[in-house]
Amino acid sequence: MLNAPVMEANDAVSGSMAECYVTIDGNRYNMMQLYSFESSAKVNSQDVKILGRTGIGKKPTGWSGSWKGTAHFNQSVFRRWFLTYCKTGRMTPFEIQVSNEDPPAGRQTITHTGCLIDSSILAKFDAGDSLLDEELSGTFDGWDMPEEFTELSGME
């Protein structure tokens, strides 16, 4: 273990160097007001009873994706999208593309497809000195990774 390679501090990726774009109904928006974002995919599994074993096995049966973020309260893109649904019953899924780039790790891009929002703040105010922000969350049903981080020295 003494001779094992270790990660260099400069290999850590800076969170503030990300980019986020949302494409809704063919319109692409730079979501620079987002200052926190996270997406995750969860494997759905089913129990498998196996004769001759005391434990229960697991079989993957699918997956589900979710995302959440925090943004400054200064855009109407998602509210307009939600208003269209409220007035017409038409909810078109959208795309969220997130890229992280910081040398020497390189650049990774994740494209989330089939995105929906769980809820939307319509209006808000605070008479104090605080800045207004909003929590966003939703789901996605597909994703791709067109760009991957560079494999760090010592990982192979």
Side-chain angles (χ1 to χ4, degrees), residues 26-44:
N27 298 310
R28 190 167 193 244
Y29 303 96
N30 181 353
M31 296 306 290
M32 58 191 163
Q33 42 287 88
L34 273 170
Y35 60 87
S36 173
F37 181 87
E38 180 178 314
S39 65
S40 61
K42 177 185 173 196
V43 174
N44 303 324

mmCIF file of all heavy atoms in Angstrom, residues 26-44:
data_model
loop_
_atom_site.group_PDB
_atom_site.id
_atom_site.type_symbol
_atom_site.label_atom_id
_atom_site.label_comp_id
_atom_site.label_asym_id
_atom_site.label_seq_id
_atom_site.Cartn_x
_atom_site.Cartn_y
_atom_site.Cartn_z
ATOM 1 N N GLY A 26 -37.303 22.576 -28.546
ATOM 2 C CA GLY A 26 -36.374 23.040 -29.574
ATOM 3 C C GLY A 26 -35.593 24.293 -29.221
ATOM 4 O O GLY A 26 -34.725 24.711 -29.986
ATOM 5 N N ASN A 27 -35.878 24.922 -28.100
ATOM 6 C CA ASN A 27 -35.143 26.117 -27.666
ATOM 7 C C ASN A 27 -34.103 25.728 -26.627
ATOM 8 O O ASN A 27 -34.432 25.062 -25.643
ATOM 9 C CB ASN A 27 -36.107 27.152 -27.057
ATOM 10 C CG ASN A 27 -37.125 27.631 -28.061
ATOM 11 O OD1 ASN A 27 -36.779 28.012 -29.168
ATOM 12 N ND2 ASN A 27 -38.392 27.588 -27.682
ATOM 13 N N ARG A 28 -32.849 26.152 -26.852
ATOM 14 C CA ARG A 28 -31.747 25.809 -25.948
ATOM 15 C C ARG A 28 -31.427 27.018 -25.074
ATOM 16 O O ARG A 28 -31.196 28.116 -25.565
ATOM 17 C CB ARG A 28 -30.517 25.399 -26.757
ATOM 18 C CG ARG A 28 -29.423 24.792 -25.909
ATOM 19 C CD ARG A 28 -28.383 24.130 -26.810
ATOM 20 N NE ARG A 28 -27.496 23.290 -26.035
ATOM 21 C CZ ARG A 28 -26.205 23.500 -25.893
ATOM 22 N NH1 ARG A 28 -25.624 24.524 -26.507
ATOM 23 N NH2 ARG A 28 -25.468 22.685 -25.177
ATOM 24 N N TYR A 29 -31.409 26.793 -23.739
ATOM 25 C CA TYR A 29 -31.170 27.857 -22.776
ATOM 26 C C TYR A 29 -29.919 27.559 -21.951
ATOM 27 O O TYR A 29 -29.743 26.438 -21.483
ATOM 28 C CB TYR A 29 -32.358 27.992 -21.808
ATOM 29 C CG TYR A 29 -33.669 28.253 -22.496
ATOM 30 C CD1 TYR A 29 -34.534 27.205 -22.792
ATOM 31 C CD2 TYR A 29 -34.040 29.541 -22.851
ATOM 32 C CE1 TYR A 29 -35.749 27.441 -23.427
ATOM 33 C CE2 TYR A 29 -35.251 29.787 -23.485
ATOM 34 C CZ TYR A 29 -36.098 28.727 -23.769
ATOM 35 O OH TYR A 29 -37.285 28.966 -24.403
ATOM 36 N N ASN A 30 -29.080 28.567 -21.776
ATOM 37 C CA ASN A 30 -27.938 28.476 -20.873
ATOM 38 C C ASN A 30 -28.466 28.732 -19.465
ATOM 39 O O ASN A 30 -28.848 29.854 -19.145
ATOM 40 C CB ASN A 30 -26.877 29.510 -21.258
ATOM 41 C CG ASN A 30 -25.658 29.456 -20.368
ATOM 42 O OD1 ASN A 30 -25.613 28.747 -19.370
ATOM 43 N ND2 ASN A 30 -24.652 30.227 -20.725
ATOM 44 N N MET A 31 -28.511 27.705 -18.637
ATOM 45 C CA MET A 31 -29.088 27.839 -17.297
ATOM 46 C C MET A 31 -28.011 28.272 -16.302
ATOM 47 O O MET A 31 -27.727 27.599 -15.319
ATOM 48 C CB MET A 31 -29.754 26.526 -16.879
ATOM 49 C CG MET A 31 -30.933 26.145 -17.740
ATOM 50 S SD MET A 31 -32.210 27.428 -17.881
ATOM 51 C CE MET A 31 -32.877 27.408 -16.234
ATOM 52 N N MET A 32 -27.422 29.456 -16.568
ATOM 53 C CA MET A 32 -26.351 29.965 -15.731
ATOM 54 C C MET A 32 -26.839 30.345 -14.336
ATOM 55 O O MET A 32 -26.035 30.522 -13.433
ATOM 56 C CB MET A 32 -25.690 31.158 -16.410
ATOM 57 C CG MET A 32 -26.628 32.283 -16.713
ATOM 58 S SD MET A 32 -25.823 33.466 -17.775
ATOM 59 C CE MET A 32 -27.226 34.363 -18.377
ATOM 60 N N GLN A 33 -28.172 30.455 -14.139
ATOM 61 C CA GLN A 33 -28.668 30.786 -12.820
ATOM 62 C C GLN A 33 -28.652 29.600 -11.857
ATOM 63 O O GLN A 33 -28.763 29.778 -10.655
ATOM 64 C CB GLN A 33 -30.039 31.437 -12.845
ATOM 65 C CG GLN A 33 -31.116 30.937 -13.751
ATOM 66 C CD GLN A 33 -30.923 31.261 -15.204
ATOM 67 O OE1 GLN A 33 -30.284 30.482 -15.874
ATOM 68 N NE2 GLN A 33 -31.465 32.333 -15.727
ATOM 69 N N LEU A 34 -28.485 28.388 -12.374
ATOM 70 C CA LEU A 34 -28.327 27.225 -11.502
ATOM 71 C C LEU A 34 -26.968 27.306 -10.816
ATOM 72 O O LEU A 34 -25.951 27.492 -11.473
ATOM 73 C CB LEU A 34 -28.390 25.928 -12.313
ATOM 74 C CG LEU A 34 -29.761 25.328 -12.558
ATOM 75 C CD1 LEU A 34 -29.673 24.202 -13.569
ATOM 76 C CD2 LEU A 34 -30.386 24.824 -11.278
ATOM 77 N N TYR A 35 -26.944 27.185 -9.496
ATOM 78 C CA TYR A 35 -25.650 27.176 -8.816
ATOM 79 C C TYR A 35 -25.413 25.877 -8.053
ATOM 80 O O TYR A 35 -24.375 25.686 -7.428
ATOM 81 C CB TYR A 35 -25.459 28.406 -7.924
ATOM 82 C CG TYR A 35 -26.464 28.602 -6.819
ATOM 83 C CD1 TYR A 35 -26.284 27.995 -5.579
ATOM 84 C CD2 TYR A 35 -27.566 29.403 -7.009
ATOM 85 C CE1 TYR A 35 -27.193 28.189 -4.562
ATOM 86 C CE2 TYR A 35 -28.470 29.613 -5.997
ATOM 87 C CZ TYR A 35 -28.284 28.998 -4.768
ATOM 88 O OH TYR A 35 -29.192 29.195 -3.763
ATOM 89 N N SER A 36 -26.364 24.966 -8.169
ATOM 90 C CA SER A 36 -26.197 23.638 -7.591
ATOM 91 C C SER A 36 -27.044 22.676 -8.417
ATOM 92 O O SER A 36 -28.203 22.973 -8.725
ATOM 93 C CB SER A 36 -26.662 23.652 -6.136
ATOM 94 O OG SER A 36 -26.670 22.358 -5.591
ATOM 95 N N PHE A 37 -26.471 21.534 -8.791
ATOM 96 C CA PHE A 37 -27.200 20.544 -9.571
ATOM 97 C C PHE A 37 -26.633 19.172 -9.268
ATOM 98 O O PHE A 37 -25.423 19.010 -9.081
ATOM 99 C CB PHE A 37 -27.076 20.823 -11.072
ATOM 100 C CG PHE A 37 -27.833 19.843 -11.932
ATOM 101 C CD1 PHE A 37 -29.165 20.057 -12.234
ATOM 102 C CD2 PHE A 37 -27.216 18.709 -12.429
ATOM 103 C CE1 PHE A 37 -29.883 19.152 -13.021
ATOM 104 C CE2 PHE A 37 -27.911 17.797 -13.205
ATOM 105 C CZ PHE A 37 -29.245 18.028 -13.497
ATOM 106 N N GLU A 38 -27.517 18.182 -9.225
ATOM 107 C CA GLU A 38 -27.090 16.795 -9.033
ATOM 108 C C GLU A 38 -28.115 15.887 -9.682
ATOM 109 O O GLU A 38 -29.321 16.087 -9.541
ATOM 110 C CB GLU A 38 -27.003 16.484 -7.537
ATOM 111 C CG GLU A 38 -26.570 15.074 -7.227
ATOM 112 C CD GLU A 38 -26.447 14.834 -5.731
ATOM 113 O OE1 GLU A 38 -25.857 15.670 -5.032
ATOM 114 O OE2 GLU A 38 -26.963 13.796 -5.268
ATOM 115 N N SER A 39 -27.634 14.898 -10.406
ATOM 116 C CA SER A 39 -28.520 13.880 -10.965
ATOM 117 C C SER A 39 -28.016 12.518 -10.526
ATOM 118 O O SER A 39 -26.825 12.339 -10.270
ATOM 119 C CB SER A 39 -28.566 13.972 -12.496
ATOM 120 O OG SER A 39 -27.307 13.674 -13.053
ATOM 121 N N SER A 40 -28.925 11.578 -10.443
ATOM 122 C CA SER A 40 -28.530 10.227 -10.066
ATOM 123 C C SER A 40 -29.450 9.216 -10.736
ATOM 124 O O SER A 40 -30.586 9.530 -11.094
ATOM 125 C CB SER A 40 -28.560 10.044 -8.541
ATOM 126 O OG SER A 40 -29.862 10.256 -8.038
ATOM 127 N N ALA A 41 -28.922 8.025 -10.903
ATOM 128 C CA ALA A 41 -29.686 6.917 -11.467
ATOM 129 C C ALA A 41 -29.684 5.793 -10.447
ATOM 130 O O ALA A 41 -28.660 5.500 -9.833
ATOM 131 C CB ALA A 41 -29.073 6.449 -12.783
ATOM 132 N N LYS A 42 -30.837 5.200 -10.248
ATOM 133 C CA LYS A 42 -30.996 4.139 -9.259
ATOM 134 C C LYS A 42 -31.414 2.853 -9.961
ATOM 135 O O LYS A 42 -32.327 2.865 -10.792
ATOM 136 C CB LYS A 42 -32.056 4.550 -8.238
ATOM 137 C CG LYS A 42 -32.354 3.492 -7.214
ATOM 138 C CD LYS A 42 -33.501 3.921 -6.316
ATOM 139 C CE LYS A 42 -33.876 2.745 -5.430
ATOM 140 N NZ LYS A 42 -35.174 2.915 -4.819
ATOM 141 N N VAL A 43 -30.762 1.764 -9.618
ATOM 142 C CA VAL A 43 -31.121 0.457 -10.167
ATOM 143 C C VAL A 43 -32.321 -0.080 -9.395
ATOM 144 O O VAL A 43 -32.321 -0.101 -8.161
ATOM 145 C CB VAL A 43 -29.939 -0.543 -10.058
ATOM 146 C CG1 VAL A 43 -30.364 -1.937 -10.502
ATOM 147 C CG2 VAL A 43 -28.761 -0.062 -10.868
ATOM 148 N N ASN A 44 -33.351 -0.458 -10.119
ATOM 149 C CA ASN A 44 -34.492 -1.139 -9.511
ATOM 150 C C ASN A 44 -34.191 -2.629 -9.549
ATOM 151 O O ASN A 44 -33.760 -3.151 -10.575
ATOM 152 C CB ASN A 44 -35.783 -0.844 -10.280
ATOM 153 C CG ASN A 44 -36.067 0.639 -10.362
ATOM 154 O OD1 ASN A 44 -35.802 1.381 -9.432
ATOM 155 N ND2 ASN A 44 -36.591 1.071 -11.485
#
